[in-house]
Amino acid sequence: MSSNKRLFWWLVAPGAIFLILFLILPLASIVVFSFWRTESYTLIPDWNLDNYIRILTDWTYIKFLLRSLSMATIVSLICLVFSWPIAFFIARYGGKFKLIYLLLTSAPFLTGEILRVTALQQILGPIGVINMALSTFGFEPIQALMYTNTATAIGLTYLWIPFMVLAIYLSLLNFDFELLEVAKVNGARPLRAFWEITWPLNRAGSAIGVVLVFIPTLASSITSKFLGGPNGALYGNILANQFGSTGTWALGSAMGVVLFAISLIVLYIVWKMVGDLKRSGVTIKGGAEL
Amino acid sequence: MTDTVLKLDNISKNFGPIKAADDINIEVGQTEFFALLGPSGSGKTTMLRMIAGLEKPDTGTISISGRDVTNEPPYRRGIGMVFQDFLLFPHKTVAENIMFPLKMQGASEKDKRENLQWVSNLVHLEGLEERYPHQLSGGQKQRVALARGLVSRPSLLLLDEPLANLDRELRKEMEVEIRRFQIELAIPFVYVTHNQEEAMTMSDRMAIMRDGKMEQVGEKFSLYHDPASQFVASFLGSPNAFEGVVSSVEEGIAQINWFGHSIRARAHDGLQPGDRAVCYVKSEKISMLESGGALTGVLRDIIFKGQYADYLVSLGDGHEITVSGAPMTGLKKGAPMHLDWDPGKADAFRAQGGAQ
Amino acid sequence: MTALRIGKGVQILLLAALYVFLYGPIIYITYVSFQANSVWPFPPEFTAKHYISLWNEENYHSGFVNSLAIGIGTGVIASVLATMAAVAILKYRVRRSVYIAGLFLMPLFIAHILIGVSSLMFNKMLLGLPGNIFSAILANATYATAFAFLVVVAQLARYDWRLDEAAMVFGATPGTTFREVTFPLIWPAILGAFIVSFLLAFNNLEISFYNLGATPTLPTLAWGSLRHGVSEELYALAALINVAVFIFLGVMYVLLRTGVVRLDYKD
């Protein structure tokens, strides 16, 4: 092994070992636990498929799973549609303000989910400022904002849209905007140029953005708990319950494995849809301006 | 060579399927300016990086001042280097940049100051010591890079296309300067470039590389005037090329039939009658006669270049020959031209893929 | 041409809308935190009572200290591990290093709740460790490493590694090279990675929650308080955390933009 290779592995090893020990092994362990059984708050190594059978046949679990899936799909699409023009503007016209725009976009994300949800409750909830204003001025309050899935969807968009903007922006960083001028010289209108040039060259960024929004949204429990109200529970809430009041860890593990498996499937589907990643703009070196 | 400083023995290096160095042997003496010349991708930069220790050869040995350094890391080779793009440390002042090699050697403060003084005088950088690289012009950066390479009085200085990013005038000036430093310090310089003019101006000896192979090594004059391979003949100067069949070889001079014209040149590669050969004649070695000559044609154009001029001669059958010479005012376009050359100044080689 | 202008106008409008959407709630809650009537604070009636009650709540003191510990611990682990890996991958360009990069980015694609519960069970069942601040730091450091890695790689993409080679040729060992050349030029990236991972761990709920046992942090206290109907000192807390985040990001911006050391050095 050359000395460069040796140095490479010495530098990479601590992080790699750390991630294997504290991320991959625990994730693997819940696969094991998912085939066990829980008895009075303890896990019993009694191999069985009951947990999976229950999740995949009991309508309650399927219903929550479907609800979470459609929530994740809708929120990802909303984020995708709104993030594109925003990211495009920052990358194309941001100039020396690019960094400011990006920091402003990502700053709220760093505040943490719980405090952001607290802030949103003040806006959207039954005594939130929107509905209070409406009733103060004699209008009907908007029911959709009060403890509904719509409120949850707004909240999740609020939480995760920074990821989508960042992902698309990063792919646009390596995009040569002069290609658009070439397209226009050759007769393409702006939307057509976008569809023919910009989108295909940057769809990898969109794909990564979609996955980055889809996965946490699918697993969401806090936002739906505090914005969705008693009838707005999602798969994540049921999953969290297994580790809270009911203490059915084995069933919770199986729910976690199902969630993880769906994440992988979505990752795979999006990957396939993107196709040849080399032809699109995302590279690991992309973030020079970040 | 008795005063050899750098010695490369049977150096080979592959990057996957690409041969970057193929059995290279070089010796460079104490006071030599040695140029490594070749087109891009010829392996000359890899060569230099191996001498510096930034790449390791697959086989072969490198020794500096009699010490085998093949397995030594760069920081134990005691050499100086001037990089393409200068590569000054942007967070260090000019003085800190220059003194960096001394700092690494653990030199005393007094030593560092003295050497800084000496080298800034040598390269004319007085007064710029406290500036940062971004406050310097291209020429100044170049001087700092040179000073950094020389300050520790290394046993050997490597230069990797150091002038590639300077404009033409600055380049001319630096060529002379670099040669001056080398003579003054009396240490070997190994200079990598793709610019043959640069190599010719500065070096004593040069090596010409292609596809990782050393095509020819020697005095710059002998390389220019007596090329030993087809590549060297075609690469140096601006030669005219004629490809045809050898009709006879006598006393080392081949007679070549080129589209009905009879052309003569020194025979290489053991050319025999019937072989396909390609003959190179440098444009300034062709003389323009009043009458007769091996080739005749008409003057199509004159490209005036200042100290000399290129005369483009059409041979009537569509071929064109370039002749360089002193600028003349009497010649007009369309004038009849008679060309010939001393066969001892032209070289014929076996054509690639020609008959054996 | 006009279509282009309209397109650009729409984009600006959307960007503005995004900021209103993102910052409206933040600004409003900051306003509410100073209001006596938090439900309908119009006309304004300023007060500092929420801040005073936040200050008087002993729980929040220990919560703050614990959050700080988790943030610093996670920040140090994540930025060190991520910097080492990013330098290795970008500097040595070993073949297949893209798989290593994939490993370091993987936590981005795993839901926090899964990281939380899996490390809870792994620690408890296999290692017999009860939840405490250290297990929370380790679990937070997994995904924080991914973010730190992104930040460092993004910054280092501009770094000219030939500067390291130059240092080596002039006699600097790999260690000295890092100290003399690499680190002085890349430290803003490392600090940026630390700030991001610190903030993420400081404010994390889902991972910390499952790994902490009975140890309170600011987010878990906020969660508890929100579960029992909003208590008003939460507004003060949210306002303060937002201000802190902005100060940190301001520091980062100044470092990246106006620092003596500019990573965009390249002629």
Side-chain angles (χ1 to χ4, degrees):
Chain A
M1 206 173 350
S2 77
S3 61
N4 274 359
K5 252 192 188 152
R6 219 177 359 252
L7 274 169
F8 173 84
W9 287 110
W10 274 114
L11 286 170
V12 158
I17 292 169
F18 179 83
L19 288 174
I20 290 169
L21 275 184
F22 297 106
L23 182 75
I24 295 177
L25 279 184
L27 284 174
S29 76
I30 68 165
V31 177
V32 173
F33 297 144
S34 71
F35 294 104
W36 291 11
R37 145 176 93 76
T38 331
E39 205 168 85
S40 55
Y41 291 89
T42 40
L43 280 161
I44 314 274
D46 168 19
W47 300 85
N48 66 80
L49 286 170
D50 292 354
N51 298 317
Y52 288 103
I53 293 171
R54 191 158 161 204
I55 295 168
L56 298 175
T57 55
D58 188 333
W59 178 242
T60 342
Y61 297 98
I62 299 174
K63 188 179 72 187
F64 285 117
L65 189 56
L66 287 179
R67 217 191 254 178
S68 276
L69 274 172
S70 44
M71 178 67 77
T73 309
I74 290 167
V75 170
S76 314
L77 288 180
I78 292 174
C79 286
L80 180 65
V81 169
F82 283 98
S83 296
W84 248 106
I86 293 165
F88 189 90
F89 175 83
I90 297 176
R92 174 90 201 252
Y93 306 107
K96 58 183 175 180
F97 300 114
K98 271 180 195 164
L99 191 59
I100 290 195
Y101 287 134
L102 284 175
L103 286 179
L104 279 179
T105 308
S106 32
F109 179 76
L110 296 171
T111 314
E113 190 168 359
I114 191 74
L115 292 177
R116 299 184 75 194
V117 168
T118 308
L120 272 181
Q121 253 197 356
Q122 281 308 295
I123 305 283
L124 300 176
I127 54 165
V129 71
I130 293 179
N131 279 331
M132 284 303 290
L134 288 173
S135 54
T136 302
F137 296 111
F139 297 98
E140 279 291 298
I142 304 172
Q143 296 290 341
L145 293 183
M146 303 200 287
Y147 292 141
T148 59
N149 282 325
T150 310
T152 305
I154 295 173
L156 288 169
T157 306
Y158 180 74
L159 281 167
W160 299 109
I161 199 171
F163 268 32
M164 186 72 85
V165 174
L166 272 180
I168 297 173
Y169 171 80
L170 286 182
S171 76
L172 282 172
L173 261 192
N174 288 351
F175 176 65
D176 184 357
F177 285 97
E178 281 182 27
L179 291 177
L180 287 183
E181 271 150 38
V182 176
K184 274 176 202 139
V185 168
N186 287 304
R189 288 162 174 278
L191 272 182
R192 183 73 198 257
F194 173 83
W195 191 243
E196 293 282 341
I197 313 288
T198 322
W199 170 256
L201 284 172
N202 295 287
R203 56 190 178 174
S206 310
I208 289 171
V210 164
V211 174
L212 285 178
V213 173
F214 192 94
I215 288 173
T217 309
L218 186 70
S220 149
S221 64
I222 295 168
T223 310
S224 46
K225 185 180 181 76
F226 292 115
L227 294 177
N231 297 322
L234 296 175
Y235 189 75
N237 300 93
I238 312 301
L239 171 56
N241 281 346
Q242 313 307 321
F243 295 91
S245 46
T246 60
T248 39
W249 287 17
L251 180 62
S253 299
M255 291 187 72
V257 172
V258 168
L259 185 70
F260 190 63
I262 293 175
S263 306
L264 286 182
I265 292 168
V266 169
L267 200 61
Y268 179 79
I269 292 173
V270 171
W271 187 265
K272 279 283 142 191
M273 276 162 64
V274 166
D276 187 1
L277 204 67
K278 280 203 182 105
R279 270 185 51 211
S280 44
V282 165
T283 65
I284 195 156
K285 303 207 297 176
E289 287 286 335
L290 185 75
Chain B
M1 218 172 293
T2 51
D3 59 348
T4 303
V5 172
L6 172 69
K7 193 158 183 293
L8 306 184
D9 281 314
N10 312 103
I11 296 291
S12 294
K13 171 85 179 169
N14 296 335
F15 290 110
I18 296 160
K19 277 194 169 146
D22 189 2
D23 197 22
I24 302 289
N25 293 283
I26 297 178
E27 280 187 43
V28 182
Q30 181 61 51
T31 56
E32 254 191 322
F33 197 121
F34 188 85
L36 269 171
L37 178 65
S40 61
S42 59
K44 55 192 192 305
T45 294
T46 305
M47 212 58 241
L48 202 71
R49 290 171 62 82
M50 286 195 283
I51 299 171
L54 295 169
E55 304 278 356
K56 220 177 237 178
D58 295 341
T59 58
T61 56
I62 299 172
S63 45
I64 296 175
S65 307
R67 192 166 63 100
D68 181 352
V69 297
T70 317
N71 293 310
E72 295 275 318
Y75 45 88
R76 279 198 222 113
R77 294 194 178 196
I79 49 174
M81 186 160 176
V82 180
F83 294 83
Q84 201 177 358
D85 310 329
F86 321 132
L87 293 185
L88 304 179
F89 303 125
H91 60 304
K92 292 182 185 286
T93 62
V94 167
E96 286 168 345
N97 262 290
I98 296 176
M99 291 188 299
F100 186 82
L102 301 172
K103 189 177 173 186
M104 291 303 113
Q105 293 168 4
S108 70
E109 219 34 58
K110 181 167 158 282
D111 249 24
K112 286 198 267 186
R113 282 288 144 199
E114 277 173 12
N115 279 298
L116 174 66
Q117 187 84 38
W118 161 73
V119 82
S120 352
N121 281 331
L122 178 72
V123 306
H124 303 306
L125 273 171
E126 303 93 335
L128 299 175
E129 287 89 342
E130 294 316 310
R131 295 215 189 154
Y132 281 91
H134 67 93
Q135 297 168 309
L136 302 178
S137 71
Q140 289 168 333
K141 282 182 193 163
Q142 175 65 75
R143 286 167 189 276
V144 176
L146 271 162
R148 186 176 60 175
L150 293 171
V151 69
S152 63
R153 303 181 196 241
S155 49
L156 171 69
L157 185 73
L158 309 176
L159 302 98
D160 183 11
E161 307 239 10
L163 305 182
N165 287 331
L166 298 182
D167 59 43
R168 195 186 138 81
E169 253 169 65
L170 208 47
R171 202 159 62 220
K172 292 278 158 221
E173 186 189 321
M174 290 310 297
E175 280 174 6
V176 178
E177 289 277 272
I178 289 175
R179 180 64 176 166
R180 177 171 72 82
F181 303 149
Q182 193 262 331
I183 290 167
E184 210 156 301
L185 269 80
I187 58 167
F189 279 24
V190 177
Y191 190 103
V192 158
T193 181
H194 66 270
N195 181 327
Q196 50 174 293
E197 215 180 310
E198 250 173 60
M200 295 275 181
T201 311
M202 290 185 274
S203 70
D204 299 309
R205 285 196 309 143
M206 33 192 228
I208 298 198
M209 289 196 67
R210 182 177 67 146
D211 299 338
K213 280 199 184 63
M214 199 63 78
E215 286 276 335
Q216 195 175 353
V217 189
E219 301 273 327
K220 59 184 172 187
F221 298 107
S222 69
L223 255 67
Y224 189 83
H225 295 298
D226 301 312
S229 78
Q230 187 195 337
F231 176 74
V232 176
S234 67
F235 185 68
L236 291 180
S238 40
N240 295 285
F242 309 93
E243 189 172 336
V245 177
V246 177
S247 48
S248 71
V249 181
E250 270 170 48
E251 290 173 12
I253 302 293
Q255 188 107 22
I256 296 163
N257 182 348
W258 179 69
F259 294 99
H261 306 287
S262 181
I263 282 178
R264 295 192 310 148
R266 288 184 290 191
H268 296 264
D269 300 342
L271 284 174
Q272 296 297 323
D275 288 346
R276 272 200 86 73
V278 56
C279 161
Y280 294 95
V281 193
K282 303 226 181 330
S283 60
E284 78 278 8
K285 293 186 181 179
I286 301 177
S287 34
M288 296 179 279
L289 310 172
E290 294 289 323
S291 59
L295 300 169
T296 54
V298 293
L299 186 61
R300 190 179 65 73
D301 206 352
I302 306 173
I303 299 168
F304 179 57
K305 297 208 167 167
Q307 291 129 315
Y308 68 98
D310 278 344
Y311 300 89
L312 307 184
V313 179
S314 280
L315 296 189
D317 52 5
H319 292 97
E320 193 162 275
I321 293 175
T322 306
V323 184
S324 303
M328 289 179 283
T329 46
L331 279 172
K332 289 271 180 303
K333 285 182 202 176
M337 302 290 283
H338 302 271
L339 308 177
D340 209 346
W341 57 81
D342 176 352
K345 290 180 177 174
D347 296 276
F349 301 87
R350 188 182 300 283
Q352 303 287 315
Q356 289 300 303
Chain C
M1 208 53 211
T2 44
L4 195 69
R5 286 236 177 81
I6 292 167
K8 192 177 167 184
V10 170
Q11 287 165 22
I12 295 175
L13 223 63
L14 278 170
L15 183 69
L18 175 72
Y19 290 149
V20 171
F21 178 53
L22 288 178
Y23 287 95
I26 289 173
I27 292 166
Y28 181 68
I29 203 168
T30 309
Y31 170 74
V32 169
S33 72
F34 289 105
Q35 296 303 316
N37 177 356
S38 58
V39 176
W40 183 244
F42 306 103
E45 189 188 329
F46 288 96
T47 172
K49 68 175 182 186
H50 305 317
Y51 288 89
I52 293 164
S53 63
L54 179 71
W55 179 251
N56 289 334
E57 193 74 57
E58 290 291 327
N59 263 344
Y60 282 105
H61 293 200
S62 51
F64 175 71
V65 172
N66 292 332
S67 282
L68 208 58
I70 292 177
I72 291 173
T74 303
V76 169
I77 294 175
S79 48
V80 169
L81 294 180
T83 303
M84 287 167 72
V87 166
I89 287 169
L90 292 176
K91 180 171 178 177
Y92 297 115
R93 302 199 171 277
V94 170
R95 259 193 297 168
R96 285 195 273 282
S97 60
V98 64
Y99 295 110
I100 297 293
L103 174 66
F104 278 83
L105 292 174
M106 195 179 89
L108 290 177
F109 299 97
I110 297 170
H112 283 187
I113 194 169
L114 284 181
I115 299 180
V117 300
S118 68
S119 50
L120 160 77
M121 289 199 290
F122 185 71
N123 291 341
K124 193 154 187 173
M125 297 305 300
L126 294 181
L127 306 179
L129 295 174
N132 61 29
I133 205 156
F134 297 106
S135 51
I137 288 175
L138 293 175
N140 269 297
T142 57
Y143 81 95
T145 299
F147 278 93
F149 181 76
L150 264 187
V151 171
V152 176
V153 164
Q155 285 297 317
L156 259 52
R158 288 193 191 173
Y159 185 73
D160 191 342
W161 295 104
R162 293 178 308 160
L163 287 171
D164 286 30
E165 290 185 355
M168 296 257 276
V169 167
F170 294 120
T173 59
T176 321
T177 303
F178 186 78
R179 206 175 57 241
E180 285 282 335
V181 179
T182 324
F183 184 75
L185 289 169
I186 71 169
W187 68 266
I190 302 174
L191 187 62
F194 174 82
I195 289 177
V196 167
S197 40
F198 167 82
L199 287 174
L200 285 170
F202 184 93
N203 289 317
N204 181 274
L205 173 63
E206 277 190 298
I207 295 175
S208 302
F209 181 82
Y210 289 105
N211 283 282
L212 270 176
T215 321
T217 67
L218 291 185
T220 57
L221 289 171
W223 181 80
S225 152
L226 199 61
R227 215 161 48 126
H228 300 112
V230 186
S231 60
E232 294 176 318
E233 71 268 8
L234 263 193
Y235 307 141
L237 179 64
L240 288 175
I241 297 288
N242 279 316
V243 168
V245 165
F246 267 86
I247 290 172
F248 275 115
L249 287 183
V251 168
M252 225 169 120
Y253 178 78
V254 170
L255 282 178
L256 296 182
R257 257 301 126 81
T258 58
V260 185
V261 178
R262 296 281 302 270
L263 273 179
D264 48 356
Y265 170 82
K266 235 172 216 183
D267 283 293

